[in-house]
Amino acid sequence: MPFALDPEVATGLEALSAALTKGPPPTQSGVDAIKVSSGRFIDHAASIAKTAPDVSIQTLSTSSEDSHTVPLYWHTKSGSSPGSAILYLHGGGMVASSAASYRPIVSYLVSHSGVPALSVEFRNAPYSTPLQGLKDAYAGLTYLSSNAADLKIDPERIAVVGDSGGGGLAACLTHLVRERQGPKIAKQVLIYPMLDDRLGLASPDPHIAPFLTVDHNSIDVCWVGVLGSRRGAEDVQPTEAAARIKSAAGLPPMYVDVGDCDIFRGDCLRYVEKFWAEGIPAELHVWNGCYHGFDGVAPEATVTQKAWDARARAIQQV
């Protein structure tokens, strides 16, 4: 039997298509066109995200190692003080969207899990110097750990969470922390993460081609935006594209979820296997009949609620 979309998830595609074509078509090409389409995708998801009236947001800031000011958003749920915390990195292929636009989505996660979250307004690619987005993410982690007492959290109980491009950046952050012996990350929660800069150069999977909400060319454009001419080069490091990992030794336990009709499915499975090979706990969920970004497009679907429940449980275990 061929792949088929979950019926509830499939109903969200019509509204997504309308959102993506809303307004004039992009006149740009390459990364600039991705910024427009990704922005529309995420704006649509944020507009239909479940509300979280019990969550308040405080605007903070810190400085990256190149003295860039990094805005931060601290999301807390009324009456909830679990001691643990989330560092959240937003989706958008590392080239688009913003932590500000993700506030409804992060607020729902905080409401659902009861765990406060610091979302980081990291710089999107293309970068003027390498790894600016990652360095901003590291600055956010350092702020969260250094200000643990004021924020009423335990710096030993921080989970880094990200989706899509933000999931890939979250994975890269764990590699940078291992390299620098930086602030502790107790767990990584990666939601259909963008892991491998070589994906856009590979042949598409014909079995899932009809269900893709993002294609190989778009992914390749994003990676070229991040890495420039080095995209696909042999010397790309796991701090740049996490799938370049040689060993997962020393990395934190992991949770990963992805749809079986998601362009990142194969990369996620291969990444998880690297952790299992080192005896590191790695919880994997593959959601049947789900495309990339299904949870944002169909927030009321039964499978979406199962996904949010699994993510919240993984975070609550920290």
Side-chain angles (χ1 to χ4, degrees):
M1 179 181 294
F3 284 110
L5 292 182
D6 176 283
E8 291 182 300
V9 165
T11 60
L13 284 178
E14 185 175 344
L16 174 63
S17 178
L20 292 178
T21 56
K22 188 176 182 179
T27 57
Q28 311 95 324
S29 60
V31 170
D32 289 333
I34 297 294
K35 288 180 183 291
V36 173
S37 60
S38 180
R40 290 175 179 175
F41 190 122
I42 292 165
D43 286 347
H44 173 67
S47 72
I48 61 174
K50 289 196 170 185
T51 58
D54 54 353
V55 173
S56 59
I57 304 172
Q58 180 183 2
T59 301
L60 305 167
S61 68
T62 190
S63 294
S64 193
E65 57 194 65
D66 61 358
S67 300
H68 171 75
T69 299
V70 183
L72 307 167
Y73 300 102
W74 179 235
H75 302 68
T76 55
K77 180 178 180 178
S78 177
S80 181
S81 300
S84 55
I86 297 165
L87 183 83
Y88 198 96
L89 303 175
H90 67 79
M94 302 187 212
V95 302
S97 193
S98 66
S101 66
Y102 253 72
R103 283 178 291 190
I105 298 168
V106 178
S107 291
Y108 178 70
L109 176 60
V110 170
S111 179
H112 198 60
S113 68
V115 179
L118 186 74
S119 57
V120 182
E121 197 70 89
F122 58 84
R123 281 169 284 186
N124 288 322
Y127 306 129
S128 57
T129 58
L131 300 179
Q132 287 178 324
L134 181 61
K135 291 173 182 177
D136 293 347
Y138 189 86
L141 175 64
T142 300
Y143 180 93
L144 187 56
S145 180
S146 300
N147 291 275
D150 290 341
L151 297 174
K152 297 181 174 59
I153 66 158
D154 182 345
E156 299 291 306
R157 298 176 61 198
I158 295 173
V160 60
V161 183
D163 67 284
S164 193
L169 192 62
C172 289
L173 179 61
T174 67
H175 292 280
L176 184 62
V177 168
R178 178 177 66 173
E179 183 180 288
R180 294 184 175 184
Q181 298 184 328
K184 182 176 179 178
I185 295 175
K187 194 171 194 174
Q188 51 186 315
V189 175
L190 311 182
I191 302 167
Y192 39 75
M194 175 178 148
L195 299 167
D196 198 333
D197 61 300
R198 299 160 294 191
L199 177 61
L201 303 173
S203 299
D205 179 349
H207 300 294
I208 64 172
F211 313 117
L212 295 181
T213 52
V214 58
D215 60 21
H216 281 68
N217 179 66
S218 297
I219 296 302
D220 197 46
V221 168
C222 291
W223 278 117
V224 170
V226 173
L227 297 174
S229 61
R230 294 182 56 248
R231 179 270 286 118
E234 291 185 7
D235 65 344
V236 171
Q237 300 299 306
T239 49
E240 299 172 300
R244 298 306 193 101
I245 180 177
K246 290 182 172 59
S247 169
L251 293 175
M254 181 169 66
Y255 166 100
V256 176
D257 77 38
V258 67
D260 63 352
C261 296
D262 192 314
I263 193 170
F264 295 142
R265 182 197 63 205
D267 291 343
C268 288
L269 269 60
R270 286 185 287 273
Y271 196 64
V272 166
E273 286 178 343
K274 297 283 183 68
F275 284 72
W276 289 338
E278 297 290 344
I280 299 172
E283 180 180 352
L284 172 66
H285 293 262
V286 180
W287 305 112
N288 290 336
C290 292
Y291 45 78
H292 189 71
F294 71 94
D295 50 341
V297 177
E300 301 293 342
T302 301
V303 68
T304 295
Q305 289 310 300
K306 289 180 178 179
W308 281 115
D309 288 346
R311 296 163 189 169
R313 186 174 60 253
I315 291 167
Q316 290 162 348
Q317 291 169 349
V318 174

